[in-house]
Amino acid sequence: MAIIYLEEKRLFAISGDAVSYLFGFDERGLLKHLHWGRRVDSPGDFGAGFTGEGTANDPAVDILTEEYAPWGGMRFKEPCLKVSFADGTRDLVPVYREHRIRGDLLSVTFTDAHYPLELILFYRMMDGFDILERYAEIVNRGKEPFTIHRAASAEFHFPGTGWHQTNVYGQWAAEQRRFREPLGYGRKVLESRKGSTGHNHGPWFILDRNAGEEEGTVYFGALVYSGNFKTVFEVSPYGNTRVITGINDFDFAWVLRPGESFRTPAVLCGCTGGGFGAMSRGMHRIALKRLMPEEHRGEIRPVLYNSWEATYFDVTCQGQLALAETAAAMGVELFVVDDGWFGERHSDHAGLGDWYVNRTKFPSGLAPLVDGVKKLGMQFGIWVEPEMVNPDSDLYREHPEWIYRFEHREPTTGRNQLVLNLCEPAVAHYIVGVLSSLLSEHDIAFVKWDMNRAVSEPGALNLPPEDRQSVWYRHVLAFYGIVDELRRKFPRVVFEACASGGGRVDHGCLMRFDQFWTSDNTDALDRLEIQEGYSLMFPAKAMRAWVTDCPNFLNKRTIPLRYRFHSAMMGSLGIGGDLKKWSPQEREESAKMVAMYKEIRHVVQEGELYRLSTIGSGLAALQYVLSGESVVFALTRGERYGRELIPLRLRGLDRGKTYTVDIDGFAYDKSGGYLMESGITLHLPGDYASIMVRITEK
Ligand code: DGJ
């Protein structure tokens, strides 16, 4: 890692092992992006050069590859920063003041030509990962407040046109579906306005021209943020491509008072010549080694049981203990009681906010269940949805003023619930207090933190009217603050992020939660597509996947148990079915699959992922490789045209080494070179056929 400043060229070069990022000042003092890509060993060859003024219709500032474009002067492109000052001026002229290099962090500071606004751009190349972290900070050094209307985290430039962007699209129970499309002239926006990241798109970008799974140049960046985001792709009429990403400026305003500063969320960005696969492996690596919460990052995730699909709200101590007994016999290591254990929670109409044990369901409190689960050799986990309240709850009756709402309007309920105003310190205090009691009074090893509706009518009536459009960001910061505080107080507890399934899958949560509940869709086939989209940016260790009942609750599809297991074994395995209804044969088969998973889970959870084939082609084939060991899962939807023999070329092995390939008990030895050039042949006849192959270095 190196940060270099070339004084004579007024140029910055930030380099990792294989990549460099360069920018410098032009003759007018405008900061111009120069290079992002392969490592540059002679940065002095670059220079910001001469920009000139352009013309009245095509001003140079609009064409220039600016590092962080302010809104001001003759700029008509999408800006990164837009403010209005107390005297009504809405124009920025950032002038370079200084830069500092402190260890691996570069900061470049600008001050407005007249107003006491300071803008600081931060850059850090993350050692050993070739991932660049970027964010910005705005400081009010004056005596009057000013308002920030837009503050993106970063701007990126890509030479020319002809780029494609890849992201995911979806909705509840259908998240993370990968798509790739060409970027044409004009602006394209991917965003959330729902208060959370949402189920619709990911807060990250991927750009390529003609990359494939394992070849070609891919650029990418992930916003470390869990709220309203906005990514703008702009192909300018001048033939250049830009990406700007950050907090969504929709309904956003932040009043920055004297002495205050505003820091944007960070973006983690990188580029690779190894296609989408190398991109994902790079992002998985940094997640596993640096980003995920440190306390549990290195731990193998236990096999989990979750009660939701078995009992929904019909939770009783006896019923849960019965499930726990069966789960333990199958080899489950962590038993989680989902919704329905608290307050008057007999349906989704009541109880949210009342985080005390329902005494009808648990006459002697939670202790008999927790103790029972522990006696069975499992850890105990519990579900909560702390940001929400049902109007039919003690909390709401006591504090109807604790929700987001606008004056003279009835707040809209979603899933019969309202959103608590986390910008009110008393609310945050209540949540920390009530969850702290729960976690200190019981031996709880795991918390599933849910969020089942979007934020709407975001009126935080406790804030002065001029501050109320800051709610979107304040809510996320308060949510982070509460989780951080609980993690600090209860470091042993593992936290799972859930928002009606995968409604808050982002790097903000990845850095605070140990895993995601990926989707409420537990159909093993649909999951293959959902899991593939998820895997673009996020690691298998953080992806919970359950085996549930058939016919599936969502689409009534029936899929063999073995296939359901294979689908879920590609992440952190869980079971979520109504075990009372499972036959002795099914339980026995499940116990065998769980035992098998325990043998290979370190490879899945900590290995390098190769997407050999995607379910879109009819075959999902994923390979995980971890120092001398490899596992391949192959699942089809159904055999077609009598093609039941499927050749599969492997990846990530050592050509010169010999491996034992074990396909369902049939074992043979081959060299890594052979397995990667010629491959293995799988026999997958009929519908919903699946197989797990183990490859072990001799
Ligand atoms: C939505 C989650 O995604 C489900 O797994 C379950 O926890 C329910 N909420 C409970 O209400």
Side-chain angles (χ1 to χ4, degrees):
M1 190 280 310
I3 302 173
I4 295 170
Y5 178 64
L6 297 182
E7 179 68 53
E8 68 283 11
K9 293 257 181 166
R10 301 190 69 205
L11 180 151
F12 299 95
I14 309 167
S15 296
D17 294 332
V19 298
S20 290
Y21 188 94
L22 271 66
F23 53 97
F25 293 100
D26 73 358
E27 85 288 356
R28 291 161 61 188
L30 296 169
L31 195 56
K32 193 166 163 181
H33 174 77
L34 298 173
H35 169 82
W36 183 21
R38 280 191 188 200
R39 190 187 156 99
V40 167
D41 291 316
S42 42
D45 293 345
F46 287 77
F50 180 73
T51 303
E53 294 294 336
T55 69
N57 288 307
D58 301 303
V61 280
D62 231 21
I63 306 171
L64 192 67
T65 57
E66 282 182 288
E67 265 300 287
Y68 191 83
W71 192 61
M74 290 278 273
R75 287 182 184 84
F76 306 97
K77 61 190 177 186
E78 185 76 14
C80 287
L81 183 62
K82 182 174 184 297
V83 303
S84 60
F85 294 103
D87 62 4
T89 296
R90 304 191 312 283
D91 183 88
L92 273 168
V93 183
V95 178
Y96 168 76
R97 204 182 70 217
E98 62 172 12
H99 71 267
R100 283 188 193 181
I101 300 171
R102 277 164 291 189
D104 60 356
L105 186 69
L106 165 68
S107 60
V108 188
T109 303
F110 303 80
T111 316
D112 183 81
H114 173 80
Y115 296 93
L117 175 146
E118 199 171 273
L119 165 67
I120 315 169
L121 304 181
F122 291 93
Y123 299 81
R124 173 188 280 124
M125 187 62 81
M126 294 171 113
D127 231 357
F129 300 102
D130 274 2
I131 296 284
L132 179 68
E133 181 188 23
R134 289 187 60 184
Y135 55 94
E137 194 169 310
I138 298 116
V139 188
N140 185 343
R141 298 270 177 221
K143 295 195 165 56
E144 284 180 305
F146 57 78
T147 304
I148 302 169
H149 297 283
R150 173 156 179 70
S153 295
E155 165 170 358
F156 301 93
H157 295 274
F158 305 90
T161 59
W163 293 91
H164 287 68
Q165 75 91 8
T166 296
N167 204 277
V168 289
Y169 73 97
Q171 59 190 72
W172 173 75
E175 309 89 327
Q176 304 285 349
R177 286 178 295 156
R178 179 178 180 174
F179 71 103
R180 177 175 177 268
E181 62 181 7
L183 290 173
Y185 288 104
R187 277 169 213 155
K188 152 121 200 155
V189 176
L190 291 180
E191 63 175 347
S192 163
R193 298 181 177 191
K194 293 181 167 174
S196 64
T197 328
H199 298 83
N200 306 136
H201 299 293
W204 37 265
F205 68 85
I206 301 173
L207 251 70
D208 78 286
R209 274 213 173 95
N210 51 11
E213 190 56 32
E214 295 297 337
E215 64 285 310
T217 302
V218 176
Y219 290 91
F220 54 93
L223 191 64
V224 185
Y225 189 54
S226 311
N228 285 1
F229 68 92
K230 180 172 167 186
T231 303
V232 180
F233 304 86
E234 186 171 44
V235 182
S236 80
Y238 309 107
N240 284 320
T241 303
R242 315 160 68 213
V243 174
I244 293 170
T245 188
I247 296 174
N248 202 336
D249 56 353
F250 171 77
D251 190 44
F252 175 77
W254 187 285
V255 177
L256 201 65
R257 298 193 166 76
E260 289 180 350
S261 59
F262 177 94
R263 181 174 283 192
T264 71
V267 191
L268 302 172
C269 56
C271 62
T272 170
F276 300 105
M279 170 198 75
S280 298
R281 287 188 289 279
M283 287 306 277
H284 298 170
R285 210 172 299 131
I286 194 168
L288 294 174
K289 302 259 183 265
R290 181 139 173 192
L291 303 180
M292 289 168 68
E294 204 175 349
E295 315 86 62
H296 303 292
R297 197 192 281 159
E299 290 167 10
I300 288 296
R301 299 291 179 260
V303 177
L304 163 158
Y305 176 81
N306 179 291
S307 67
W308 175 241
E309 285 191 32
T311 49
Y312 292 105
F313 301 99
D314 193 9
V315 171
T316 61
C317 188
Q318 281 319 311
Q320 296 297 305
L321 277 171
L323 286 169
E325 252 173 61
T326 317
M330 287 177 179
V332 167
E333 298 156 306
L334 165 65
F335 181 89
V336 183
V337 59
D338 205 282
D339 204 341
W341 60 269
F342 54 92
E344 291 306 313
R345 188 73 170 166
H346 308 293
S347 72
D348 60 16
H349 284 259
L352 283 180
D354 301 340
W355 300 111
Y356 49 82
V357 182
N358 180 297
R359 286 284 171 164
T360 313
K361 298 176 179 186
F362 295 90
S364 311
L366 270 185
L369 178 58
V370 180
D371 293 346
V373 164
K374 285 176 58 193
K375 273 200 199 104
L376 288 163
M378 297 183 290
Q379 294 180 304
F380 179 77
I382 202 156
W383 177 96
V384 290
E385 192 177 356
E387 294 152 272
M388 301 290 161
V389 66
N390 284 118
D392 185 1
S393 67
D394 291 346
L395 182 68
Y396 188 75
R397 282 182 280 276
E398 206 175 314
H399 287 294
E401 78 286 5
W402 273 9
I403 57 156
Y404 291 126
R405 54 176 284 269
F406 288 130
E407 297 279 19
H408 314 297
R409 295 279 184 264
E410 271 306 304
T412 315
T413 52
R415 207 198 191 203
N416 311 300
Q417 62 198 52
L418 297 164
V419 187
L420 286 171
N421 174 4
L422 298 198
C423 307
E424 164 59 62
V427 175
H429 186 74
Y430 167 78
I431 296 173
V432 171
V434 80
L435 292 185
S436 296
S437 306
L438 185 67
L439 294 176
S440 43
E441 283 161 21
H442 304 96
D443 191 357
I444 293 173
F446 176 95
V447 168
K448 174 177 175 181
W449 181 301
D450 207 343
M451 182 208 195
N452 281 303
R453 63 157 290 176
V455 179
S456 69
E457 298 121 300
L461 298 181
N462 62 315
L463 297 177
E466 66 273 20
D467 283 332
R468 290 191 189 159
Q469 281 181 282
S470 64
V471 167
W472 299 108
Y473 192 27
R474 283 186 203 276
H475 181 94
V476 178
L477 293 180
F479 158 62
Y480 287 165
I482 295 168
V483 177
D484 292 348
E485 168 89 11
L486 290 169
R487 289 202 78 111
R488 197 185 50 71
K489 288 173 88 168
F490 304 97
R492 66 169 202 286
V493 178
V494 166
F495 285 80
E496 177 177 82
C498 170
S500 293
R504 208 150 50 179
V505 174
D506 56 67
H507 283 79
C509 282
L510 184 78
M511 289 175 73
R512 281 179 182 82
F513 288 84
D514 305 286
Q515 60 186 55
F516 296 109
W517 175 226
T518 325
S519 176
D520 276 352
N521 187 332
T522 52
D523 172 78
L525 178 67
D526 286 352
R527 268 286 178 142
L528 297 177
E529 197 181 338
I530 292 169
Q531 294 179 176
E532 181 189 323
Y534 167 96
S535 77
L536 284 171
M537 285 284 151
F538 301 96
K541 187 183 244 187
M543 182 182 82
R544 264 299 163 191
W546 308 340
V547 175
T548 57
D549 298 335
C550 273
N552 184 269
F553 85 97
L554 191 66
N555 55 22
K556 312 292 176 250
R557 189 182 281 131
T558 295
I559 289 183
L561 189 62
R562 171 182 153 103
Y563 191 101
R564 280 181 269 155
F565 264 99
H566 282 155
S567 174
M569 284 161 77
M570 293 193 283
S572 289
L573 176 66
I575 297 176
D578 187 355
L579 303 181
K580 297 187 298 294
K581 297 187 185 141
W582 290 23
S583 67
Q585 291 77 8
E586 284 173 323
R587 293 182 197 179
E588 202 180 310
E589 189 181 347
S590 300
K592 282 189 190 144
M593 297 302 279
V594 168
M596 176 63 74
Y597 179 70
K598 287 179 182 169
E599 283 181 31
I600 53 100
R601 64 179 160 186
H602 58 289
V603 184
V604 171
Q605 294 185 18
E606 302 194 328
E608 304 243 285
L609 171 71
Y610 294 84
R611 289 179 290 257
L612 304 180
S613 174
T614 78
I615 190 63
S617 70
L619 169 77
L622 272 78
Q623 184 187 359
Y624 303 80
V625 182
L626 183 70
S627 43
E629 275 187 274
S630 181
V631 181
V632 175
F633 290 95
L635 302 90
T636 64
R637 174 162 196 164
E639 177 205 329
R640 302 198 67 196
Y641 311 115
R643 297 205 183 112
E644 60 192 48
L645 292 180
I646 298 179
L648 207 57
R649 284 168 66 185
L650 305 186
R651 298 264 183 189
L653 305 178
D654 190 329
R655 286 178 185 277
K657 293 203 165 137
T658 304
Y659 295 85
T660 301
V661 179
D662 185 330
I663 307 179
D664 257 355
F666 171 68
Y668 59 88
D669 291 349
K670 291 286 177 193
S671 70
Y674 175 87
L675 293 171
M676 291 197 290
E677 294 311 322
S678 184
I680 55 177
T681 303
L682 303 176
H683 183 221
L684 293 170
D687 289 342
Y688 301 117
S690 66
I691 205 157
M692 187 187 95
V693 181
R694 294 179 71 173
I695 300 114
T696 320
E697 191 185 308
K698 282 199 90 166

